[in-house]
Amino acid sequence: MLPDCWQVEIPPQPDELVSSWLWRVALHNGLTPREFADALQLGGGMSWARMDAALPPDHTSRLAQHTGRTVEDLMA
């Protein structure tokens, strides 16, 4: 179970892919990318590459809640 906001905040780099940023967030918070995706319910049918193309709104809201970023930041 993950806390509401993670201990280590990792800001996305300019022009960084969502998948790359999420991998860094996971690793800096002591999780494998798979554990991270499962904990956020991003796993299953959601591939990392598809996240870069179009992150579904429910995933975007969930990520914003846990990362302290706004939905607008994540959509950019």
Side-chain angles (χ1 to χ4, degrees), residues 7-58:
Q7 294 179 14
V8 180
E9 287 190 36
I10 304 295
Q13 297 296 318
D15 298 325
E16 182 175 23
L17 295 173
V18 171
S19 59
S20 172
W21 174 62
L22 291 177
W23 275 65
R24 292 189 311 109
V25 170
L27 296 173
H28 280 87
N29 281 281
L31 298 169
T32 67
R34 182 65 189 178
E35 291 169 331
F36 179 78
D38 289 345
L40 283 179
Q41 301 168 359
L42 297 176
M46 188 62 170
S47 73
W48 291 96
R50 281 187 26 216
M51 279 190 236
D52 294 330
L55 193 60
D58 60 324

Side-chain angles (χ1 to χ4, degrees), residues 50-67:
R50 281 187 26 216
M51 279 190 236
D52 294 330
L55 193 60
D58 60 324
H59 290 111
T60 306
S61 297
R62 193 173 304 123
L63 286 170
Q65 174 188 0
H66 289 285
T67 61

